[in-house]
Amino acid sequence: MTLNPVTTIILVSPKGNAEDIFARIKIPYEVEYHHVAIDYPSTTSPLDFTVYCSFVTLWRQFMVERNKVYISTKRTVSIDGEIMSPPTTRQAAYRYLAKLSDRQHIVTTAIAVRYLGQVTMVVVESKVTMKKLSQKIIEHYVETGEPFEHDIGYNIQGLGANLTESIEGDFDNVAGLPIYSLQEHLISKKILVVKEGEIVDVY
């Protein structure tokens, strides 16, 4: 299948495996890094929080070109509705992984797409069940550095795969980017055009 973008596509501050996953649909793209101040909402809903952060990241960008496509992604991990802040220190990583141990959490991803002055959204949730993690396993994993390289505190495509028991839903969502859902959205918005006579592949 051949997908052709109608204009330039820009990934805004991609994290973790997002670029590698996006590259699978084999279309050209650019990357821009921006720091956007976000006044975090008071909502405790992981879904509302994730959507808000993704939307604001694009809406508050000053240097944008109307005819280009800007894509921003925000992911959160939550347990029983409580948002888990990604760890930034070793001690925080120990506590974070200990809390995920032997229970289910939800990875929520909100993708904001800005094009022609409008922002549209794609939202995907996956349920992940972690194995029972001993203190020794947690310590060894923290020492790899992976908890600090990914915005959900572990890398399902790296050593973090050994920590998980099961995934319900989109694996790519947990890996870094729900690419099939995003691809469908870009096609529906006529940002990606499928070559005539071809069928859309499921990645």
Side-chain angles (χ1 to χ4, degrees):
M1 179 189 66
T2 304
L3 289 171
N4 298 310
V6 299
T7 185
T8 302
I9 293 178
I10 299 171
L11 303 184
V12 178
S13 304
K15 297 179 176 61
N17 301 315
E19 272 194 80
D20 291 338
I21 297 173
F22 189 84
R24 288 190 349 223
I25 60 176
K26 298 179 181 179
I27 61 171
Y29 67 93
E30 299 176 5
V31 174
E32 292 183 4
Y33 289 92
H34 299 278
H35 175 72
V36 177
I38 298 177
D39 48 340
Y40 292 106
S42 57
T43 176
T44 57
S45 163
L47 180 61
D48 290 345
F49 176 84
T50 310
V51 168
Y52 177 86
C53 293
S54 182
F55 175 85
V56 168
T57 296
L58 288 192
W59 198 248
R60 289 186 178 172
Q61 282 185 270
F62 296 106
M63 302 297 291
V64 296
E65 296 182 45
R66 180 180 170 83
N67 65 336
K68 291 185 177 181
V69 176
Y70 296 83
I71 299 174
S72 171
T73 301
K74 173 65 177 178
R75 297 198 300 162
T76 58
V77 166
S78 61
I79 296 178
D80 297 331
E82 177 189 352
I83 297 172
M84 302 279 291
S85 298
T88 56
T89 66
R90 280 186 171 84
Q91 290 302 318
Y94 297 148
R95 292 192 297 270
Y96 182 91
L97 292 167
K99 191 163 187 177
L100 295 185
S101 175
D102 200 27
R103 62 192 306 186
Q104 187 180 82
H105 63 268
I106 296 177
V107 177
T108 303
T109 300
I111 306 172
V113 179
R114 183 171 184 170
Y115 180 49
L116 299 178
Q118 294 186 330
V119 176
T120 54
M121 304 293 303
V122 179
V123 180
V124 177
E125 290 189 322
S126 302
K127 296 180 180 179
V128 182
T129 301
M130 288 296 217
K131 296 176 181 177
K132 187 171 184 177
L133 308 176
S134 67
Q135 182 178 347
K136 188 172 183 179
I137 289 174
I138 290 174
E139 289 175 353
H140 284 173
Y141 187 64
V142 171
E143 290 304 312
T144 70
E146 280 193 359
F148 315 112
E149 297 168 356
H150 296 267
D151 53 356
I152 62 169
Y154 62 92
N155 180 13
I156 195 65
Q157 289 188 314
L159 296 173
N162 299 317
L163 309 182
T164 58
E165 186 71 41
S166 64
I167 295 175
E168 297 178 34
D170 190 338
F171 176 89
D172 286 331
N173 180 47
V174 182
L177 184 71
I179 187 60
Y180 178 57
S181 297
L182 175 58
Q183 175 184 281
E184 280 191 322
H185 184 74
L186 296 178
I187 291 172
S188 72
K189 297 300 178 183
K190 296 180 169 51
I191 294 170
L192 292 180
V193 179
V194 182
K195 186 176 179 180
E196 187 175 352
E198 293 191 354
I199 300 173
V200 177
D201 290 333
V202 177
Y203 286 93

